[in-house]
Amino acid sequence: MLIIGSSNARVGIPLGMAILRRGGSALDAVEAAIRAVESNPDDHTVGLGGLPNVLGVVELDASIMNGATRAAGAVAGVRGIEHPISLARRVMQDLPHVLLVGEGAERFAEECGFEQTELLTPEARDIYLRGLRGEENTPYAGLAARAMVHRLAMQPERASGKDAGTVNVLALDQDGNICAGVSTSGFAWKYPGRVGDSAVIGAGNYCDGRYGAAACTGRGEMAIRGATARTIVLGLAQGLSPEEAGGRAMADLDLIPDNYFSTMNCVILAPDGRHAGFSTVENQIYVGMDEHSREVESWPRTYMPVSARGQ
Ligand code: GLY
């Protein structure tokens, strides 16, 4: 039994591990862990308190994938739903589809009984407004103004120097099943309707019970272009270790030039419990617990800078 995730998953990892210890499924553990992150108003990259798009509206993306069957569900550009990870799970379980976006996803949420919630907290609104004004007392200043000019989004985790963009959670239950989940408010000040890798199966999330799971945080455009999560799991399928498979997929990103000083991070879990984490930023960690852990543990991510820029 094991549950790992991005550093901001720390608030949900003990909940997920408690479910695994009770004999619960990896699917339930991942959903519960991510719901705790989505409800954390201090995390400005996920769920309640997430930073909004350039018009000041919070739009959320999430996905979940069950390694036992490779069933997957995802939602993108969803407004007013505090727990998009649970909505993604309902898509997976109740519909013959994988991905619902915008109004359709919100309609489905209403049918499923999800409540509408105001997700833009006063603190997130202040950061958004300060960023628009380019004030210097926010880590997002300047970058936000540039995002406005170019009508492009930027990365709060890079601006703040923290690995806090998007949440990844991967779990392995006592039956040996693996599940992977991802949830995000996406890039702050993003263009309305922009969808990142978190909702794209194969990009920010992939899980195959035979070989393992991988999930990404960072600039989603990179993971979409590199099909990064799927690339990692294909490496595992070819017999590479999590460290080798992650290293190869991260190195592959070097061949994707981009102008936005993009960061990329991933976490990887094999069915035998081996795990790894990578980042294009130095000194980053990922976190987790196994059945013996008394508290959330952390491990360093392997540093892999992306060097190809500006093409
Ligand atoms: N990785 C999250 C996003 O690009 O939206």
Side-chain angles (χ1 to χ4, degrees):
M1 277 181 281
L2 184 65
I3 183 164
I4 67 169
S6 49
S7 60
N8 56 340
R10 182 178 289 276
V11 297
I13 291 285
L15 288 172
M17 181 42 80
I19 289 171
L20 295 177
R21 283 178 177 152
R22 288 199 299 269
S25 69
L27 198 58
D28 286 344
V30 164
E31 182 185 5
I34 290 182
R35 282 176 66 94
V37 184
E38 290 172 336
S39 291
N40 178 9
D42 297 328
D43 188 327
H44 296 305
T45 65
V46 182
L48 179 72
L51 289 172
N53 67 20
V54 75
L55 299 180
V57 179
V58 180
E59 292 184 332
L60 304 178
D61 302 340
S63 65
I64 195 159
M65 189 162 186
N66 183 354
T69 56
R70 281 186 283 168
V75 293
V78 181
R79 303 173 175 199
I81 303 297
E82 185 173 341
H83 295 299
I85 193 67
S86 297
L87 189 57
R89 182 171 178 175
R90 293 295 297 262
V91 171
M92 176 176 79
Q93 292 179 340
D94 299 353
L95 296 178
H97 305 312
V98 168
L99 172 61
L100 288 186
V101 304
E103 277 180 26
E106 289 157 20
R107 178 193 181 98
F108 181 59
E110 194 179 338
E111 287 175 9
C112 293
F114 287 68
E115 283 178 13
Q116 274 283 321
T117 305
E118 176 51 74
L119 299 174
L120 186 63
T121 59
E123 187 179 296
R125 186 170 177 276
D126 282 353
I127 295 170
Y128 163 73
L129 292 174
R130 288 205 305 270
L132 285 190
R133 290 195 296 264
E135 288 178 6
E136 294 195 17
N137 62 349
T138 162
Y140 311 98
L143 288 167
R146 196 177 71 190
M148 283 292 284
V149 169
H150 295 288
R151 289 191 164 195
L152 285 168
M154 42 70 68
Q155 289 170 282
E157 69 270 33
R158 180 179 175 89
S160 65
K162 290 190 295 183
D163 171 28
T166 306
V167 61
N168 297 158
V169 178
L170 313 177
L172 173 64
D173 64 29
Q174 68 174 20
D175 296 327
N177 292 325
I178 293 188
C179 175
V182 183
S183 183
T184 191
S185 50
F187 284 6
W189 301 283
K190 64 190 172 187
Y191 196 87
R194 176 266 187 190
V195 175
D197 61 325
S198 306
V200 179
I201 297 300
N205 183 352
Y206 201 76
C207 185
D208 183 329
R210 296 169 296 177
Y211 310 119
C216 303
T217 63
R219 178 170 277 272
E221 283 75 4
M222 294 280 280
I224 291 172
R225 291 165 70 191
T228 301
R230 175 68 170 144
T231 300
I232 293 168
V233 175
L234 276 178
L236 296 174
Q238 290 163 358
L240 300 182
S241 67
E243 198 67 33
E244 291 166 337
R248 192 158 84 175
M250 294 293 281
D252 185 57
L253 294 176
D254 230 18
L255 303 176
I256 299 178
D258 99 304
N259 282 319
Y260 306 109
F261 304 99
S262 296
T263 60
M264 183 49 55
N265 319 279
C266 61
V267 288
I268 306 162
L269 177 60
D272 62 6
R274 288 174 299 158
H275 54 87
F278 285 83
S279 180
T280 56
V281 179
E282 279 183 285
N283 300 319
Q284 301 299 305
I285 60 161
Y286 65 108
V287 300
M289 296 179 81
D290 65 18
E291 63 261 46
H292 308 296
S293 305
R294 292 178 172 218
E295 57 189 28
V296 179
E297 301 180 44
S298 62
W299 303 278
R301 291 179 187 258
T302 301
Y303 172 49
M304 291 259 322
V306 175
S307 60
R309 299 280 191 212
Q311 300 294 314

